[in-house]
Amino acid sequence: MFVFVCAGCGAEVTNPLSRVALPAHAHQKYGNGIQLPVLMESGTFAVEPEPWGPPWRRWEEIHPDEAVARGIYAPVHVLSDGAPGSIVIAPGDACGTLLIPERAGGYCCGLDGADGPNMACEKCGLPVASRIDDCSLWQAVWLAPKAVRRIRVDGGDSAPLSWAELLEEGMCTPPFEPVATWGSRLGPNHFWSWSPQWEAAAGRALAHLLAASEGRRVTVPDGLSKEVFQRALDALLPAGPPARRAVLAGPGQPTPHADPDIVLVPTHPQTGETWKLADPAPKAYPVPVPFGVWLWLAFPKPHLPVPASGGMPDGVLRDDPPAPRPRYLFRADPGAFQHTLVRLPAVRSSWFREILENLTQHMHAGLF
């Protein structure tokens, strides 16, 4: 467990926290006028290893060698010139801080942090963090890495859960959920949607699937995996054999009978570690999927026709309807897709670069 203290005066600015992996949807901008919930679970923090936040530089100002040194292999609109190592926490875990009114950038519906740190240490006034709660952004507090220090505290330390323990806990992320909008006089302030977390996870995974394709058709397992990935893969890759085969692999899954070309594997929610096959095929490309999403793909949870435990007589089926499904086909998150794609060396291939250059058209076509 750790607390973060002000680098200026040493005052505590967070509650005790334990480290977890940075969520795949940490920087997601979802829709327009959407009320997204809190990004981080209470009592946790995650670290963004790359520079993030203002100041920003346009791509034209960046030398290609500098971009490659930062692991960027294709043009982007802007790159952050901020310090790496920003720390993200739940807003309720911040303490001893005050908002800085003159830095309250955003205000479409809330704060967006565009003007730099908008929270100061209550004791000495040093700007230490950015509060984010504007529409279509995940609510969070981002601690400025140079303005805080991390101090270990006693209590609460424990080893990360094993894969078997994670599987037993069964903390999966449902693919559908009601998404809230800001109140409207025209009707309800929510709609039933594909999960924003799924769209971000799929955006990242789709970039890896394309990199693993080597420009050939890719097939994914039947079921929800096909519904999430196959339409985009078929549209973005050439038709016809020979196809590269992707399979689900991970804890609780049987070892593939034949060597797969690609494996969809979970990432550990605490450590960020990617699950590895005990005896991996040399050519299998691992595609990382957040554990909660992977768990639902690997072990789908259908609407049960009988209650999970007692309450109805034999032969009587439940009469409540299943959760509604979205009225549109699945679309991967374009921001997560682009963010991942430009960081894969394979994007330097001409066919891969063409996909990136035509991303806007693919968005209009409903793939993203």
Side-chain angles (χ1 to χ4, degrees), residues 220-232:
V220 297
D222 289 336
L224 202 51
S225 297
K226 189 173 289 291
E227 190 171 359
V228 168
F229 296 115
Q230 199 66 65
R231 185 170 69 98

Side-chain angles (χ1 to χ4, degrees), residues 292-308:
V293 174
W294 177 89
L295 189 59
W296 198 289
L297 289 174
F299 304 98
K301 295 170 175 54
H303 180 73
L304 300 176
V306 293

Side-chain angles (χ1 to χ4, degrees), residues 318-338:
R318 63 193 301 171
D319 59 1
D320 55 310
R325 286 177 57 93
R327 296 182 179 179
Y328 58 91
L329 298 174
F330 183 86
R331 300 188 293 257
D333 184 88
F337 175 75
Q338 183 184 41

Side-chain angles (χ1 to χ4, degrees), residues 13-74:
V13 293
T14 73
N15 297 327
L17 306 169
S18 60
R19 184 169 180 173
V20 298
L22 185 72
H25 52 286
H27 301 300
Q28 183 181 32
K29 182 175 176 60
Y30 184 80
N32 182 34
I34 304 298
Q35 292 187 23
L36 290 176
V38 172
L39 173 67
M40 302 297 296
E41 290 187 13
S42 178
T44 67
F45 75 95
V47 178
E48 169 56 82
E50 295 189 23
W52 194 262
W56 302 90
R57 276 195 295 161
R58 296 182 62 84
W59 179 255
E60 294 77 12
E61 304 170 23
I62 299 166
H63 192 278
D65 291 343
E66 179 188 352
V68 171
R70 292 179 57 170
I72 311 294
Y73 301 101

Side-chain angles (χ1 to χ4, degrees), residues 337-357:
F337 175 75
Q338 183 184 41
H339 179 85
T340 305
L341 201 65
V342 299
R343 288 161 173 79
L344 298 177
V347 77
R348 291 178 289 195
S349 302
S350 58
W351 68 269
F352 215 167
R353 183 66 66 89
E354 186 178 349
I355 291 174
L356 183 62
E357 292 171 351

